[in-house]
Amino acid sequence: MAWDLRGAFLKKGERESARLADFEFRLRVRTLRLFARELGLDEDETVALVARGDDDAALAALGSGVDLRERFAHCRDRARRELIAERGNPAPHRLL
């Protein structure tokens, strides 16, 4: 019985990719929820923007301006800190 190193790396890559994609999705949704609360918008309608495009498209749908971008960046930083506290650091884990 031999240990398959290639298979282990492929499995690790799939698991890491899924974990990082999950973290990124949660970060986007949480950021938009915080942003909606801060602006007094409906959270569900704002979060639905995640399905329609990237963060720039979501901001464009909500309006434009430096203030919105700064507030969005602040919400993203806060959401990232909260997620790291809850789920751990999203940095890839080393196999060896």
Side-chain angles (χ1 to χ4, degrees), residues 32-73:
L32 284 173
R33 284 200 184 279
L34 291 171
F35 191 62
R37 278 186 217 140
E38 197 169 291
L39 296 178
L41 302 172
D42 182 29
E43 288 183 31
D44 292 333
E45 289 178 15
T46 307
V47 169
L49 296 173
V50 168
R52 295 186 196 126
D54 60 2
D55 292 341
D56 289 331
L59 281 175
L62 295 172
S64 62
V66 176
D67 183 48
L68 280 182
R69 292 208 176 271
E70 289 175 6
R71 290 171 96 173
F72 186 80

Side-chain angles (χ1 to χ4, degrees), residues 23 30 78-90:
F23 187 89
R30 187 171 297 208
R78 180 176 165 202
R80 184 173 178 82
R81 285 191 309 271
E82 288 176 4
L83 277 173
I84 288 174
E86 290 173 15
R87 304 184 67 81
N89 193 334

Side-chain angles (χ1 to χ4, degrees), residues 5-24:
L5 182 62
R6 180 181 175 276
F9 277 117
L10 289 174
K11 186 175 180 180
K12 178 194 180 296
E14 290 173 4
R15 191 172 40 246
E16 287 296 306
S17 294
R19 188 178 65 80
L20 293 172
D22 177 67
F23 187 89
E24 183 63 30

